[in-house]
């Protein structure tokens, strides 16, 4: 089992940047695929980005490709989401998630472990 805690959210103007962090408990962090999802008010939780266990493979939603970068530091049990060129449409609560299934990418149901979320608000 893994416990996840996100941080780094906040209020930023359009065009600005934020870096989210997700710290994981336990000694087996490197055995989990890690994902970032987001949920805006009145909308379903949606996939943002995913990184493989080694960090060698990443996937992104089309809406964030070229603007967001997911990375991980297995020595620090932490996954990051660097968000650049933020837009008001990026406003949401951002969640990190962990899966022991190597093939897990966009499907929420394949991620059994979730953090509590961190709010990102982008003003126009």
């Amino acid at each position: 089992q893994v416990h996840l805690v996100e941080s780094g959210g906040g209020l930023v103007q359009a065009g600005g940047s934020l870096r989210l962090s997700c710290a994981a408990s336990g000694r087996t962090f490197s055995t989990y695929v890690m994902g970032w999802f987001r949920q805006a008010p009145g909308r379903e939780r949606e996939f943002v980005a995913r990184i493989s266990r080694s960090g060698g493979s990443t996937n992104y939603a089309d809406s964030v490709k070229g603007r967001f970068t997911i990375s991980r530091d297995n020595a620090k049990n932490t996954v990051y989401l660097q968000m650049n060129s933020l837009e008001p449409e990026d406003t949401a609560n951002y969640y990190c998630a962990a899966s022991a299934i190597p093939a897990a990418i966009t499907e929420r149901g394949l991620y059994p472990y979730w953090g509590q979320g961190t709010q990102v608000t982008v003003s126009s």
Side-chain angles (χ1 to χ4, degrees), residues 66-101:
R67 300 188 297 122
F68 291 11
T69 302
I70 188 171
S71 62
R72 67 190 296 163
D73 186 335
N74 286 343
K76 296 183 177 179
N77 282 13
T78 302
V79 62
Y80 305 97
L81 186 68
Q82 178 67 43
M83 305 186 296
N84 299 329
S85 302
L86 282 161
E87 304 168 352
E89 293 74 22
D90 296 316
T91 295
N93 205 6
Y94 282 71
Y95 299 87
C96 71
S99 175
I101 302 171

mmCIF file of all heavy atoms in Angstrom, residues 66-101:
data_model
loop_
_atom_site.group_PDB
_atom_site.id
_atom_site.type_symbol
_atom_site.label_atom_id
_atom_site.label_comp_id
_atom_site.label_asym_id
_atom_site.label_seq_id
_atom_site.Cartn_x
_atom_site.Cartn_y
_atom_site.Cartn_z
ATOM 1 N N GLY A 66 2.974 19.351 -24.456
ATOM 2 C CA GLY A 66 3.810 20.489 -24.810
ATOM 3 C C GLY A 66 3.859 21.577 -23.754
ATOM 4 O O GLY A 66 4.706 22.477 -23.824
ATOM 5 N N ARG A 67 2.961 21.528 -22.778
ATOM 6 C CA ARG A 67 2.937 22.536 -21.709
ATOM 7 C C ARG A 67 3.283 21.930 -20.344
ATOM 8 O O ARG A 67 3.889 22.597 -19.512
ATOM 9 C CB ARG A 67 1.554 23.181 -21.622
ATOM 10 C CG ARG A 67 1.113 23.882 -22.878
ATOM 11 C CD ARG A 67 -0.180 24.665 -22.663
ATOM 12 N NE ARG A 67 -1.304 23.807 -22.308
ATOM 13 C CZ ARG A 67 -2.010 23.938 -21.183
ATOM 14 N NH1 ARG A 67 -1.710 24.884 -20.309
ATOM 15 N NH2 ARG A 67 -3.021 23.123 -20.930
ATOM 16 N N PHE A 68 2.886 20.693 -20.116
ATOM 17 C CA PHE A 68 3.116 20.024 -18.836
ATOM 18 C C PHE A 68 4.184 18.949 -19.004
ATOM 19 O O PHE A 68 4.283 18.310 -20.049
ATOM 20 C CB PHE A 68 1.841 19.353 -18.333
ATOM 21 C CG PHE A 68 0.740 20.287 -17.894
ATOM 22 C CD1 PHE A 68 0.779 21.655 -18.140
ATOM 23 C CD2 PHE A 68 -0.363 19.777 -17.211
ATOM 24 C CE1 PHE A 68 -0.225 22.496 -17.738
ATOM 25 C CE2 PHE A 68 -1.391 20.605 -16.796
ATOM 26 C CZ PHE A 68 -1.320 21.968 -17.068
ATOM 27 N N THR A 69 4.954 18.720 -17.939
ATOM 28 C CA THR A 69 5.962 17.671 -17.926
ATOM 29 C C THR A 69 5.877 16.894 -16.614
ATOM 30 O O THR A 69 5.946 17.491 -15.534
ATOM 31 C CB THR A 69 7.372 18.243 -18.070
ATOM 32 O OG1 THR A 69 7.461 18.999 -19.289
ATOM 33 C CG2 THR A 69 8.410 17.128 -18.114
ATOM 34 N N ILE A 70 5.736 15.585 -16.737
ATOM 35 C CA ILE A 70 5.728 14.725 -15.550
ATOM 36 C C ILE A 70 7.114 14.115 -15.385
ATOM 37 O O ILE A 70 7.778 13.766 -16.371
ATOM 38 C CB ILE A 70 4.645 13.623 -15.661
ATOM 39 C CG1 ILE A 70 4.512 12.848 -14.352
ATOM 40 C CG2 ILE A 70 4.907 12.697 -16.848
ATOM 41 C CD1 ILE A 70 3.311 11.889 -14.330
ATOM 42 N N SER A 71 7.559 14.022 -14.143
ATOM 43 C CA SER A 71 8.853 13.409 -13.858
ATOM 44 C C SER A 71 8.783 12.762 -12.482
ATOM 45 O O SER A 71 7.833 12.990 -11.730
ATOM 46 C CB SER A 71 9.983 14.448 -13.906
ATOM 47 O OG SER A 71 9.780 15.455 -12.924
ATOM 48 N N ARG A 72 9.792 11.964 -12.159
ATOM 49 C CA ARG A 72 9.815 11.310 -10.851
ATOM 50 C C ARG A 72 11.239 11.169 -10.369
ATOM 51 O O ARG A 72 12.182 11.075 -11.167
ATOM 52 C CB ARG A 72 9.119 9.943 -10.910
ATOM 53 C CG ARG A 72 9.831 8.886 -11.741
ATOM 54 C CD ARG A 72 8.943 7.648 -11.926
ATOM 55 N NE ARG A 72 8.669 6.984 -10.648
ATOM 56 C CZ ARG A 72 7.682 6.106 -10.484
ATOM 57 N NH1 ARG A 72 6.867 5.810 -11.499
ATOM 58 N NH2 ARG A 72 7.484 5.531 -9.314
ATOM 59 N N ASP A 73 11.387 11.126 -9.060
ATOM 60 C CA ASP A 73 12.661 10.875 -8.415
ATOM 61 C C ASP A 73 12.436 9.704 -7.470
ATOM 62 O O ASP A 73 11.889 9.879 -6.370
ATOM 63 C CB ASP A 73 13.136 12.115 -7.661
ATOM 64 C CG ASP A 73 14.531 11.967 -7.086
ATOM 65 O OD1 ASP A 73 14.955 10.821 -6.849
ATOM 66 O OD2 ASP A 73 15.179 12.982 -6.843
ATOM 67 N N ASN A 74 12.826 8.517 -7.891
ATOM 68 C CA ASN A 74 12.558 7.328 -7.087
ATOM 69 C C ASN A 74 13.353 7.318 -5.781
ATOM 70 O O ASN A 74 12.945 6.697 -4.806
ATOM 71 C CB ASN A 74 12.827 6.069 -7.895
ATOM 72 C CG ASN A 74 11.743 5.811 -8.925
ATOM 73 O OD1 ASN A 74 10.640 6.371 -8.856
ATOM 74 N ND2 ASN A 74 12.037 4.961 -9.909
ATOM 75 N N ALA A 75 14.479 8.017 -5.760
ATOM 76 C CA ALA A 75 15.260 8.097 -4.522
ATOM 77 C C ALA A 75 14.550 8.937 -3.469
ATOM 78 O O ALA A 75 14.762 8.749 -2.271
ATOM 79 C CB ALA A 75 16.635 8.671 -4.816
ATOM 80 N N LYS A 76 13.708 9.878 -3.930
ATOM 81 C CA LYS A 76 12.964 10.750 -3.012
ATOM 82 C C LYS A 76 11.496 10.359 -2.883
ATOM 83 O O LYS A 76 10.725 11.058 -2.222
ATOM 84 C CB LYS A 76 13.066 12.202 -3.484
ATOM 85 C CG LYS A 76 14.474 12.769 -3.452
ATOM 86 C CD LYS A 76 14.496 14.227 -3.863
ATOM 87 C CE LYS A 76 15.897 14.809 -3.761
ATOM 88 N NZ LYS A 76 15.944 16.235 -4.186
ATOM 89 N N ASN A 77 11.093 9.269 -3.533
ATOM 90 C CA ASN A 77 9.690 8.824 -3.485
ATOM 91 C C ASN A 77 8.734 9.949 -3.890
ATOM 92 O O ASN A 77 7.681 10.141 -3.257
ATOM 93 C CB ASN A 77 9.332 8.328 -2.078
ATOM 94 C CG ASN A 77 9.848 6.930 -1.793
ATOM 95 O OD1 ASN A 77 10.673 6.406 -2.540
ATOM 96 N ND2 ASN A 77 9.388 6.335 -0.713
ATOM 97 N N THR A 78 9.081 10.675 -4.932
ATOM 98 C CA THR A 78 8.289 11.833 -5.314
ATOM 99 C C THR A 78 8.077 11.875 -6.827
ATOM 100 O O THR A 78 8.990 11.572 -7.597
ATOM 101 C CB THR A 78 8.983 13.133 -4.862
ATOM 102 O OG1 THR A 78 9.179 13.093 -3.445
ATOM 103 C CG2 THR A 78 8.139 14.357 -5.200
ATOM 104 N N VAL A 79 6.871 12.264 -7.223
ATOM 105 C CA VAL A 79 6.548 12.514 -8.621
ATOM 106 C C VAL A 79 6.163 13.988 -8.742
ATOM 107 O O VAL A 79 5.578 14.567 -7.829
ATOM 108 C CB VAL A 79 5.434 11.582 -9.126
ATOM 109 C CG1 VAL A 79 4.133 11.793 -8.362
ATOM 110 C CG2 VAL A 79 5.215 11.752 -10.623
ATOM 111 N N TYR A 80 6.521 14.587 -9.876
ATOM 112 C CA TYR A 80 6.310 16.009 -10.099
ATOM 113 C C TYR A 80 5.455 16.236 -11.346
ATOM 114 O O TYR A 80 5.427 15.421 -12.267
ATOM 115 C CB TYR A 80 7.658 16.722 -10.291
ATOM 116 C CG TYR A 80 8.636 16.508 -9.177
ATOM 117 C CD1 TYR A 80 9.628 15.533 -9.278
ATOM 118 C CD2 TYR A 80 8.581 17.274 -8.016
ATOM 119 C CE1 TYR A 80 10.539 15.324 -8.261
ATOM 120 C CE2 TYR A 80 9.485 17.069 -6.983
ATOM 121 C CZ TYR A 80 10.463 16.093 -7.109
ATOM 122 O OH TYR A 80 11.356 15.888 -6.097
ATOM 123 N N LEU A 81 4.806 17.380 -11.369
ATOM 124 C CA LEU A 81 4.117 17.835 -12.569
ATOM 125 C C LEU A 81 4.480 19.310 -12.766
ATOM 126 O O LEU A 81 4.002 20.164 -12.027
ATOM 127 C CB LEU A 81 2.606 17.664 -12.469
ATOM 128 C CG LEU A 81 1.841 17.986 -13.753
ATOM 129 C CD1 LEU A 81 2.161 16.948 -14.833
ATOM 130 C CD2 LEU A 81 0.333 18.026 -13.500
ATOM 131 N N GLN A 82 5.348 19.566 -13.733
ATOM 132 C CA GLN A 82 5.706 20.935 -14.091
ATOM 133 C C GLN A 82 4.678 21.449 -15.083
ATOM 134 O O GLN A 82 4.496 20.844 -16.153
ATOM 135 C CB GLN A 82 7.109 20.987 -14.700
ATOM 136 C CG GLN A 82 7.536 22.367 -15.155
ATOM 137 C CD GLN A 82 7.719 23.338 -14.006
ATOM 138 O OE1 GLN A 82 8.284 22.994 -12.975
ATOM 139 N NE2 GLN A 82 7.229 24.562 -14.180
ATOM 140 N N MET A 83 4.027 22.546 -14.735
ATOM 141 C CA MET A 83 2.953 23.090 -15.569
ATOM 142 C C MET A 83 3.351 24.491 -16.032
ATOM 143 O O MET A 83 3.520 25.389 -15.201
ATOM 144 C CB MET A 83 1.644 23.138 -14.783
ATOM 145 C CG MET A 83 1.242 21.804 -14.190
ATOM 146 S SD MET A 83 -0.388 21.832 -13.399
ATOM 147 C CE MET A 83 -0.074 22.977 -12.067
ATOM 148 N N ASN A 84 3.518 24.635 -17.332
ATOM 149 C CA ASN A 84 3.882 25.928 -17.935
ATOM 150 C C ASN A 84 2.756 26.429 -18.830
ATOM 151 O O ASN A 84 1.863 25.664 -19.203
ATOM 152 C CB ASN A 84 5.163 25.782 -18.752
ATOM 153 C CG ASN A 84 6.355 25.352 -17.923
ATOM 154 O OD1 ASN A 84 6.462 25.673 -16.735
ATOM 155 N ND2 ASN A 84 7.259 24.605 -18.537
ATOM 156 N N SER A 85 2.812 27.698 -19.158
ATOM 157 C CA SER A 85 1.806 28.311 -20.046
ATOM 158 C C SER A 85 0.398 27.973 -19.591
ATOM 159 O O SER A 85 -0.459 27.569 -20.380
ATOM 160 C CB SER A 85 2.013 27.833 -21.493
ATOM 161 O OG SER A 85 3.307 28.158 -21.948
ATOM 162 N N LEU A 86 0.161 28.148 -18.312
ATOM 163 C CA LEU A 86 -1.135 27.773 -17.745
ATOM 164 C C LEU A 86 -2.258 28.628 -18.325
ATOM 165 O O LEU A 86 -2.083 29.821 -18.604
ATOM 166 C CB LEU A 86 -1.092 27.886 -16.229
ATOM 167 C CG LEU A 86 -0.374 26.712 -15.536
ATOM 168 C CD1 LEU A 86 0.035 27.081 -14.121
ATOM 169 C CD2 LEU A 86 -1.270 25.483 -15.529
ATOM 170 N N GLU A 87 -3.407 27.992 -18.463
ATOM 171 C CA GLU A 87 -4.609 28.614 -19.017
ATOM 172 C C GLU A 87 -5.726 28.522 -17.989
ATOM 173 O O GLU A 87 -5.716 27.612 -17.139
ATOM 174 C CB GLU A 87 -5.006 27.884 -20.304
ATOM 175 C CG GLU A 87 -3.912 27.828 -21.349
ATOM 176 C CD GLU A 87 -4.232 26.851 -22.478
ATOM 177 O OE1 GLU A 87 -5.238 26.118 -22.358
ATOM 178 O OE2 GLU A 87 -3.471 26.838 -23.468
ATOM 179 N N PRO A 88 -6.702 29.433 -18.055
ATOM 180 C CA PRO A 88 -7.841 29.336 -17.114
ATOM 181 C C PRO A 88 -8.520 27.963 -17.153
ATOM 182 O O PRO A 88 -9.016 27.495 -16.131
ATOM 183 C CB PRO A 88 -8.777 30.440 -17.598
ATOM 184 C CG PRO A 88 -7.866 31.453 -18.203
ATOM 185 C CD PRO A 88 -6.764 30.661 -18.862
ATOM 186 N N GLU A 89 -8.491 27.308 -18.314
ATOM 187 C CA GLU A 89 -9.107 25.983 -18.448
ATOM 188 C C GLU A 89 -8.363 24.911 -17.646
ATOM 189 O O GLU A 89 -8.868 23.796 -17.470
ATOM 190 C CB GLU A 89 -9.158 25.565 -19.909
ATOM 191 C CG GLU A 89 -10.090 26.407 -20.782
ATOM 192 C CD GLU A 89 -9.550 27.785 -21.090
ATOM 193 O OE1 GLU A 89 -8.323 27.998 -21.007
ATOM 194 O OE2 GLU A 89 -10.374 28.682 -21.404
ATOM 195 N N ASP A 90 -7.163 25.211 -17.176
ATOM 196 C CA ASP A 90 -6.407 24.266 -16.343
ATOM 197 C C ASP A 90 -6.836 24.315 -14.876
ATOM 198 O O ASP A 90 -6.358 23.507 -14.069
ATOM 199 C CB ASP A 90 -4.904 24.561 -16.435
ATOM 200 C CG ASP A 90 -4.344 24.347 -17.827
ATOM 201 O OD1 ASP A 90 -4.697 23.328 -18.448
ATOM 202 O OD2 ASP A 90 -3.567 25.205 -18.288
ATOM 203 N N THR A 91 -7.710 25.249 -14.527
ATOM 204 C CA THR A 91 -8.182 25.357 -13.152
ATOM 205 C C THR A 91 -8.904 24.087 -12.734
ATOM 206 O O THR A 91 -9.848 23.650 -13.397
ATOM 207 C CB THR A 91 -9.118 26.561 -13.007
ATOM 208 O OG1 THR A 91 -8.378 27.760 -13.232
ATOM 209 C CG2 THR A 91 -9.738 26.602 -11.616
ATOM 210 N N ALA A 92 -8.430 23.461 -11.654
ATOM 211 C CA ALA A 92 -9.004 22.194 -11.183
ATOM 212 C C ALA A 92 -8.292 21.781 -9.900
ATOM 213 O O ALA A 92 -7.270 22.360 -9.529
ATOM 214 C CB ALA A 92 -8.836 21.096 -12.230
ATOM 215 N N ASN A 93 -8.836 20.765 -9.285
ATOM 216 C CA ASN A 93 -8.137 20.086 -8.200
ATOM 217 C C ASN A 93 -7.310 18.967 -8.833
ATOM 218 O O ASN A 93 -7.844 18.163 -9.600
ATOM 219 C CB ASN A 93 -9.146 19.516 -7.208
ATOM 220 C CG ASN A 93 -8.572 19.342 -5.821
ATOM 221 O OD1 ASN A 93 -7.446 19.734 -5.535
ATOM 222 N ND2 ASN A 93 -9.348 18.753 -4.943
ATOM 223 N N TYR A 94 -6.015 18.956 -8.549
ATOM 224 C CA TYR A 94 -5.106 18.003 -9.171
ATOM 225 C C TYR A 94 -4.772 16.888 -8.180
ATOM 226 O O TYR A 94 -4.398 17.161 -7.027
ATOM 227 C CB TYR A 94 -3.833 18.705 -9.628
ATOM 228 C CG TYR A 94 -4.018 19.482 -10.910
ATOM 229 C CD1 TYR A 94 -4.773 20.657 -10.929
ATOM 230 C CD2 TYR A 94 -3.465 19.034 -12.103
ATOM 231 C CE1 TYR A 94 -4.979 21.357 -12.107
ATOM 232 C CE2 TYR A 94 -3.648 19.737 -13.284
ATOM 233 C CZ TYR A 94 -4.405 20.893 -13.289
ATOM 234 O OH TYR A 94 -4.593 21.585 -14.463
ATOM 235 N N TYR A 95 -4.873 15.653 -8.663
ATOM 236 C CA TYR A 95 -4.647 14.467 -7.844
ATOM 237 C C TYR A 95 -3.523 13.623 -8.426
ATOM 238 O O TYR A 95 -3.452 13.445 -9.644
ATOM 239 C CB TYR A 95 -5.898 13.589 -7.804
ATOM 240 C CG TYR A 95 -7.117 14.242 -7.227
ATOM 241 C CD1 TYR A 95 -7.974 14.992 -8.025
ATOM 242 C CD2 TYR A 95 -7.434 14.094 -5.869
ATOM 243 C CE1 TYR A 95 -9.105 15.587 -7.500
ATOM 244 C CE2 TYR A 95 -8.563 14.683 -5.342
ATOM 245 C CZ TYR A 95 -9.389 15.431 -6.155
ATOM 246 O OH TYR A 95 -10.508 16.016 -5.620
ATOM 247 N N CYS A 96 -2.664 13.102 -7.560
ATOM 248 C CA CYS A 96 -1.743 12.081 -8.036
ATOM 249 C C CYS A 96 -2.307 10.713 -7.652
ATOM 250 O O CYS A 96 -3.093 10.592 -6.706
ATOM 251 C CB CYS A 96 -0.336 12.272 -7.504
ATOM 252 S SG CYS A 96 -0.093 11.930 -5.764
ATOM 253 N N ALA A 97 -1.901 9.710 -8.412
ATOM 254 C CA ALA A 97 -2.412 8.360 -8.230
ATOM 255 C C ALA A 97 -1.315 7.362 -8.526
ATOM 256 O O ALA A 97 -0.403 7.641 -9.306
ATOM 257 C CB ALA A 97 -3.600 8.124 -9.149
ATOM 258 N N ALA A 98 -1.426 6.190 -7.898
ATOM 259 C CA ALA A 98 -0.421 5.144 -8.063
ATOM 260 C C ALA A 98 -1.076 3.839 -8.473
ATOM 261 O O ALA A 98 -2.167 3.505 -8.003
ATOM 262 C CB ALA A 98 0.365 4.950 -6.760
ATOM 263 N N SER A 99 -0.374 3.109 -9.340
ATOM 264 C CA SER A 99 -0.873 1.812 -9.785
ATOM 265 C C SER A 99 0.276 0.825 -9.869
ATOM 266 O O SER A 99 1.359 1.162 -10.346
ATOM 267 C CB SER A 99 -1.532 1.944 -11.159
ATOM 268 O OG SER A 99 -1.910 0.673 -11.646
ATOM 269 N N ALA A 100 -0.013 -0.416 -9.459
ATOM 270 C CA ALA A 100 0.975 -1.490 -9.581
ATOM 271 C C ALA A 100 0.872 -2.179 -10.938
ATOM 272 O O ALA A 100 1.641 -3.105 -11.208
ATOM 273 C CB ALA A 100 0.789 -2.505 -8.462
ATOM 274 N N ILE A 101 -0.048 -1.723 -11.777
ATOM 275 C CA ILE A 101 -0.251 -2.322 -13.089
ATOM 276 C C ILE A 101 0.590 -1.557 -14.102
ATOM 277 O O ILE A 101 0.317 -0.381 -14.371
ATOM 278 C CB ILE A 101 -1.735 -2.276 -13.488
ATOM 279 C CG1 ILE A 101 -2.574 -3.000 -12.436
ATOM 280 C CG2 ILE A 101 -1.946 -2.878 -14.862
ATOM 281 C CD1 ILE A 101 -4.071 -2.829 -12.629
#
